[in-house]
């Protein structure tokens, strides 16, 4: 156990060092550029099969959603649990400069499509929220996240969609590790400039109102109707529990 603990500490130190060491070579991204990235032009995937209807299956309890400090678009420090409890939550890790069509732009488009579906039923909309959390705090400041969210930042449309970041890689690390979201940092030269790049495997988490992760979607399974059925399954589960 002592060796495992030492390895964990070394791993954490290496990850933090890589993220912090890249600050001096990071390419700055303006809020305007970030807002352009928020219009990915990526279509949500279309299913070539019919998913099981909502309520015909059960979603497993995978793990408690980890907690830590995040920043909202106003720069206010708040516990992540503020955004993962009390509602059914769909949470995805993103970074605003991602251009991989099977990565963050896909998550953005699926969230956008789901929002339209959910808003068609006000009773459902009152019990669901969306969260986009950046794992690139060096570039994704609260102001950049605000521009990335655009009109979705306005919660008055009936469905909250929160755009969050963290103060530093050090505060981000427990969340990334807790959710099992791997992120790799590389530094390379492009057009004579030193460029810091991130790579990751897309993961989106469905969290129930008690803060338990109930489903994890990769890009292959992040389809609006499938996610919608899972959300409705959790809503039916809540109704059944309330009647007991």
């Amino acid at each position: 156990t002592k060796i495992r603990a030492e390895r964990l500490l070394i791993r954490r130190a290496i990850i933090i060092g890589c993220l912090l060491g890249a600050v001096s070579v990071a390419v700055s991204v303006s809020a305007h550029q970030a807002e352009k990235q928020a219009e990915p032009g990526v279509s949500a995937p279309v299913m070539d099969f019919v998913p099981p209807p909502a309520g015909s299956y059960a979603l497993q309890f995978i793990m408690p959603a980890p907690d830590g400090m995040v920043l909202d678009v106003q720069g206010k420090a708040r516990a992540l649990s503020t955004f993962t409890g009390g509602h059914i939550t769909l949470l995805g890790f993103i970074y605003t400069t991602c251009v991989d069509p099977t990565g963050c732009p896909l998550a953005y488009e699926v969230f956008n499509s789901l929002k339209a579906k959910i808003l068609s039923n006000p009773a459902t909309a009152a019990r669901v929220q969306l969260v986009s959390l950046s794992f690139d705090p060096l570039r994704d400041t609260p102001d950049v996240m605000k521009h990335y969210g655009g009109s979705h930042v306005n919660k008055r449309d009936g469905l909250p969609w929160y755009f969050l970041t963290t103060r530093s890689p050090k505060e981000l690390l427990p969340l990334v590790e807790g959710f099992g979201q791997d992120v790799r940092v590389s530094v390379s030269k492009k057009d004579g400039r030193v460029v810091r790049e991130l790579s990751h495997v897309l993961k989106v988490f469905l969290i129930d109102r008690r803060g338990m992760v109930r489903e994890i979607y990769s890009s292959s399974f992040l389809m609006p109707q499938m996610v919608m059925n899972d959300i409705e399954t959790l809503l039916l589960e809540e109704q059944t529990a309330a009647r007991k």
Side-chain angles (χ1 to χ4, degrees):
T1 56
K2 181 178 179 182
I3 294 174
R4 290 179 62 188
E6 290 176 347
R7 286 178 177 172
L8 178 59
L9 289 173
I10 292 171
R11 178 173 176 267
R12 289 171 63 92
I14 290 173
I15 295 174
I16 293 174
C18 288
L19 289 169
L20 291 175
V23 176
S24 60
V25 296
V27 179
S28 63
V29 180
S30 68
H32 175 66
Q33 289 172 312
E35 188 171 17
K36 289 176 66 179
Q37 294 290 355
E39 302 296 336
V42 175
S43 299
V46 178
M47 292 185 298
D48 56 3
F49 64 95
V50 178
S56 66
Y57 56 92
L59 293 171
Q60 301 301 309
F61 293 85
I62 298 175
M63 63 181 182
D67 199 10
M69 297 306 297
V70 295
L71 299 177
D72 62 19
V73 294
Q74 305 302 325
K76 182 180 178 181
R78 304 173 68 181
L80 179 60
S81 56
T82 305
F83 305 97
T84 57
H87 289 72
I88 292 173
T89 304
L90 194 65
L91 181 149
F93 281 92
I94 59 92
Y95 65 105
T96 62
T97 56
C98 177
V99 294
D100 180 359
T102 63
C104 307
L106 171 63
Y108 191 101
E109 183 54 37
V110 170
F111 276 40
N112 189 48
S113 178
L114 277 168
K115 180 177 179 178
K117 287 178 177 291
I118 294 169
L119 282 174
S120 66
N121 185 337
T124 299
R127 300 164 68 184
V128 178
Q129 61 188 7
L130 308 175
V131 176
S132 293
L133 173 59
S134 173
F135 52 72
D136 189 12
L138 301 180
R139 289 184 287 202
D140 291 343
T141 64
D143 188 56
V144 169
M145 292 301 292
K146 183 176 182 179
H147 281 80
Y148 180 79
S151 61
H152 295 299
V153 174
N154 183 357
K155 296 181 292 184
R156 288 177 295 180
D157 61 10
L159 179 66
W161 186 348
Y162 300 103
F163 295 84
L164 309 174
T165 187
T166 54
R167 276 184 290 221
S168 68
K170 185 176 181 179
E171 290 195 355
L172 170 69
L173 186 59
L175 299 176
V176 170
E177 289 188 335
F179 277 105
Q181 174 67 75
D182 293 328
V183 183
R184 294 178 296 279
V185 182
S186 62
V187 178
S188 60
K189 283 191 175 182
K190 184 177 182 180
D191 299 328
R193 298 177 302 164
V194 179
V195 179
R196 170 179 168 272
E197 298 176 338
L198 300 176
S199 59
H200 70 110
V201 175
L202 178 66
K203 289 184 181 180
V204 172
F205 304 85
L206 181 64
I207 305 169
D208 67 23
R209 62 184 293 111
R210 292 167 293 180
M212 293 292 298
V213 176
R214 304 295 297 275
E215 187 57 276
I216 302 174
Y217 308 96
S218 64
S219 57
S220 299
F221 295 96
L222 189 61
M223 302 177 186
Q225 190 56 55
M226 182 179 292
V227 179
M228 191 69 221
N229 285 7
D230 288 348
I231 290 173
E232 291 176 347
T233 294
L234 290 184
L235 291 172
L236 290 170
E237 178 186 286
E238 290 179 0
Q239 292 174 6
T240 300
R243 288 196 294 266
K244 292 182 178 179

CSV table of all heavy atoms in Angstrom, one decimal, residues 143-164:
chain,number,residue,atom,x,y,z
A,143,ASP,N,-14.4,34.2,-18.2
A,143,ASP,CA,-14.9,35.1,-19.3
A,143,ASP,C,-14.9,34.3,-20.6
A,143,ASP,O,-15.9,34.4,-21.4
A,143,ASP,CB,-14.0,36.3,-19.5
A,143,ASP,CG,-14.6,37.3,-20.4
A,143,ASP,OD1,-15.7,37.7,-20.3
A,143,ASP,OD2,-13.9,37.7,-21.4
A,144,VAL,N,-13.9,33.5,-20.9
A,144,VAL,CA,-13.9,32.7,-22.1
A,144,VAL,C,-15.1,31.7,-22.1
A,144,VAL,O,-15.7,31.5,-23.1
A,144,VAL,CB,-12.5,31.9,-22.2
A,144,VAL,CG1,-12.6,30.9,-23.3
A,144,VAL,CG2,-11.4,32.9,-22.5
A,145,MET,N,-15.3,31.1,-20.9
A,145,MET,CA,-16.4,30.1,-20.8
A,145,MET,C,-17.8,30.8,-21.0
A,145,MET,O,-18.7,30.2,-21.6
A,145,MET,CB,-16.4,29.4,-19.4
A,145,MET,CG,-15.2,28.5,-19.2
A,145,MET,SD,-15.1,27.2,-20.5
A,145,MET,CE,-16.6,26.2,-20.0
A,146,LYS,N,-17.9,32.1,-20.6
A,146,LYS,CA,-19.1,32.8,-20.8
A,146,LYS,C,-19.3,33.0,-22.3
A,146,LYS,O,-20.5,32.9,-22.7
A,146,LYS,CB,-19.0,34.1,-20.0
A,146,LYS,CG,-20.3,35.0,-20.1
A,146,LYS,CD,-20.1,36.2,-19.3
A,146,LYS,CE,-21.4,37.1,-19.3
A,146,LYS,NZ,-21.3,38.3,-18.5
A,147,HIS,N,-18.3,33.4,-23.0
A,147,HIS,CA,-18.5,33.6,-24.4
A,147,HIS,C,-18.7,32.3,-25.1
A,147,HIS,O,-19.5,32.2,-26.1
A,147,HIS,CB,-17.2,34.3,-25.0
A,147,HIS,CG,-17.2,35.7,-24.8
A,147,HIS,ND1,-16.8,36.3,-23.6
A,147,HIS,CD2,-17.5,36.8,-25.6
A,147,HIS,CE1,-16.9,37.6,-23.6
A,147,HIS,NE2,-17.3,37.9,-24.8
A,148,TYR,N,-18.1,31.2,-24.7
A,148,TYR,CA,-18.3,29.9,-25.2
A,148,TYR,C,-19.8,29.5,-25.1
A,148,TYR,O,-20.4,28.9,-26.0
A,148,TYR,CB,-17.4,28.9,-24.5
A,148,TYR,CG,-17.5,27.5,-25.0
A,148,TYR,CD1,-16.8,27.1,-26.2
A,148,TYR,CD2,-18.2,26.5,-24.3
A,148,TYR,CE1,-16.9,25.8,-26.6
A,148,TYR,CE2,-18.2,25.2,-24.7
A,148,TYR,CZ,-17.6,24.8,-25.9
A,148,TYR,OH,-17.7,23.5,-26.3
A,149,GLY,N,-20.3,29.7,-23.9
A,149,GLY,CA,-21.7,29.4,-23.7
A,149,GLY,C,-22.7,30.2,-24.5
A,149,GLY,O,-23.8,29.8,-24.8
A,150,GLY,N,-22.3,31.5,-24.7
A,150,GLY,CA,-23.2,32.4,-25.5
A,150,GLY,C,-24.6,32.5,-24.9
A,150,GLY,O,-24.7,32.7,-23.7
A,151,SER,N,-25.6,32.4,-25.7
A,151,SER,CA,-27.0,32.6,-25.2
A,151,SER,C,-27.4,31.6,-24.2
A,151,SER,O,-28.3,31.7,-23.4
A,151,SER,CB,-27.9,32.7,-26.3
A,151,SER,OG,-27.9,31.4,-27.1
A,152,HIS,N,-26.7,30.4,-24.2
A,152,HIS,CA,-27.1,29.3,-23.2
A,152,HIS,C,-26.8,29.7,-21.8
A,152,HIS,O,-27.3,29.1,-20.9
A,152,HIS,CB,-26.4,28.1,-23.6
A,152,HIS,CG,-26.7,27.5,-24.9
A,152,HIS,ND1,-28.0,27.1,-25.2
A,152,HIS,CD2,-26.0,27.3,-26.0
A,152,HIS,CE1,-28.0,26.6,-26.5
A,152,HIS,NE2,-26.8,26.7,-27.0
A,153,VAL,N,-25.9,30.7,-21.6
A,153,VAL,CA,-25.6,31.1,-20.2
A,153,VAL,C,-26.8,31.7,-19.5
A,153,VAL,O,-27.0,31.6,-18.3
A,153,VAL,CB,-24.4,32.1,-20.2
A,153,VAL,CG1,-24.2,32.7,-18.8
A,153,VAL,CG2,-23.2,31.5,-20.8
A,154,ASN,N,-27.8,32.2,-20.3
A,154,ASN,CA,-29.0,32.8,-19.7
A,154,ASN,C,-29.9,31.7,-19.3
A,154,ASN,O,-30.4,30.9,-20.1
A,154,ASN,CB,-29.7,33.7,-20.8
A,154,ASN,CG,-30.9,34.4,-20.3
A,154,ASN,OD1,-31.3,34.2,-19.1
A,154,ASN,ND2,-31.5,35.2,-21.1
A,155,LYS,N,-30.1,31.6,-18.0
A,155,LYS,CA,-30.9,30.5,-17.4
A,155,LYS,C,-32.4,30.8,-17.5
A,155,LYS,O,-33.2,29.9,-17.1
A,155,LYS,CB,-30.5,30.3,-15.9
A,155,LYS,CG,-29.1,29.8,-15.8
A,155,LYS,CD,-28.8,29.5,-14.3
A,155,LYS,CE,-28.8,30.8,-13.5
A,155,LYS,NZ,-28.4,30.6,-12.1
A,156,ARG,N,-32.8,31.9,-18.0
A,156,ARG,CA,-34.2,32.3,-18.0
A,156,ARG,C,-35.0,31.6,-19.0
A,156,ARG,O,-36.2,31.7,-19.1
A,156,ARG,CB,-34.4,33.8,-18.1
A,156,ARG,CG,-34.0,34.6,-16.9
A,156,ARG,CD,-34.1,36.1,-17.1
A,156,ARG,NE,-33.1,36.5,-18.1
A,156,ARG,CZ,-33.0,37.8,-18.5
A,156,ARG,NH1,-33.8,38.7,-17.9
A,156,ARG,NH2,-32.1,38.2,-19.4
A,157,ASP,N,-34.3,30.8,-19.9
A,157,ASP,CA,-35.1,30.1,-20.9
A,157,ASP,C,-35.7,28.8,-20.4
A,157,ASP,O,-36.4,28.1,-21.1
A,157,ASP,CB,-34.2,29.7,-22.1
A,157,ASP,CG,-33.0,28.9,-21.7
A,157,ASP,OD1,-32.9,28.4,-20.6
A,157,ASP,OD2,-32.1,28.7,-22.6
A,158,GLY,N,-35.5,28.4,-19.1
A,158,GLY,CA,-36.1,27.3,-18.5
A,158,GLY,C,-35.3,26.1,-18.3
A,158,GLY,O,-35.8,25.1,-17.6
A,159,LEU,N,-34.1,26.1,-18.8
A,159,LEU,CA,-33.2,24.9,-18.5
A,159,LEU,C,-31.8,25.4,-18.3
A,159,LEU,O,-31.1,25.9,-19.2
A,159,LEU,CB,-33.2,24.0,-19.8
A,159,LEU,CG,-32.3,22.7,-19.6
A,159,LEU,CD1,-32.8,21.8,-18.5
A,159,LEU,CD2,-32.2,22.0,-20.9
A,160,PRO,N,-31.3,25.2,-17.0
A,160,PRO,CA,-29.9,25.7,-16.7
A,160,PRO,C,-28.9,24.9,-17.5
A,160,PRO,O,-28.9,23.7,-17.6
A,160,PRO,CB,-29.8,25.5,-15.2
A,160,PRO,CG,-31.2,25.3,-14.7
A,160,PRO,CD,-32.0,24.7,-15.9
A,161,TRP,N,-27.9,25.7,-18.1
A,161,TRP,CA,-26.7,25.1,-18.7
A,161,TRP,C,-25.5,25.9,-18.1
A,161,TRP,O,-25.4,27.0,-18.5
A,161,TRP,CB,-26.8,25.2,-20.2
A,161,TRP,CG,-25.7,24.5,-20.9
A,161,TRP,CD1,-24.5,24.0,-20.4
A,161,TRP,CD2,-25.6,24.2,-22.3
A,161,TRP,NE1,-23.8,23.4,-21.4
A,161,TRP,CE2,-24.4,23.5,-22.6
A,161,TRP,CE3,-26.5,24.4,-23.4
A,161,TRP,CZ2,-24.0,23.1,-23.8
A,161,TRP,CZ3,-26.1,24.0,-24.7
A,161,TRP,CH2,-24.9,23.3,-24.9
A,162,TYR,N,-24.8,25.3,-17.3
A,162,TYR,CA,-23.7,25.9,-16.6
A,162,TYR,C,-22.4,25.7,-17.3
A,162,TYR,O,-22.1,24.5,-17.7
A,162,TYR,CB,-23.6,25.4,-15.1
A,162,TYR,CG,-24.8,25.7,-14.3
A,162,TYR,CD1,-25.7,24.6,-14.0
A,162,TYR,CD2,-25.1,26.9,-13.8
A,162,TYR,CE1,-26.9,24.8,-13.3
A,162,TYR,CE2,-26.3,27.2,-13.1
A,162,TYR,CZ,-27.1,26.1,-12.8
A,162,TYR,OH,-28.3,26.3,-12.1
A,163,PHE,N,-21.6,26.7,-17.4
A,163,PHE,CA,-20.3,26.7,-18.0
A,163,PHE,C,-19.2,27.0,-17.0
A,163,PHE,O,-19.1,28.1,-16.5
A,163,PHE,CB,-20.2,27.6,-19.2
A,163,PHE,CG,-21.1,27.2,-20.3
A,163,PHE,CD1,-22.5,27.6,-20.3
A,163,PHE,CD2,-20.7,26.4,-21.4
A,163,PHE,CE1,-23.4,27.3,-21.3
A,163,PHE,CE2,-21.6,26.0,-22.4
A,163,PHE,CZ,-22.9,26.5,-22.4
A,164,LEU,N,-18.5,26.0,-16.6
A,164,LEU,CA,-17.6,26.1,-15.4
A,164,LEU,C,-16.1,25.9,-15.8
A,164,LEU,O,-15.8,25.2,-16.8
A,164,LEU,CB,-18.0,25.1,-14.4
A,164,LEU,CG,-19.5,25.0,-14.0
A,164,LEU,CD1,-19.7,23.9,-13.0
A,164,LEU,CD2,-19.9,26.3,-13.3
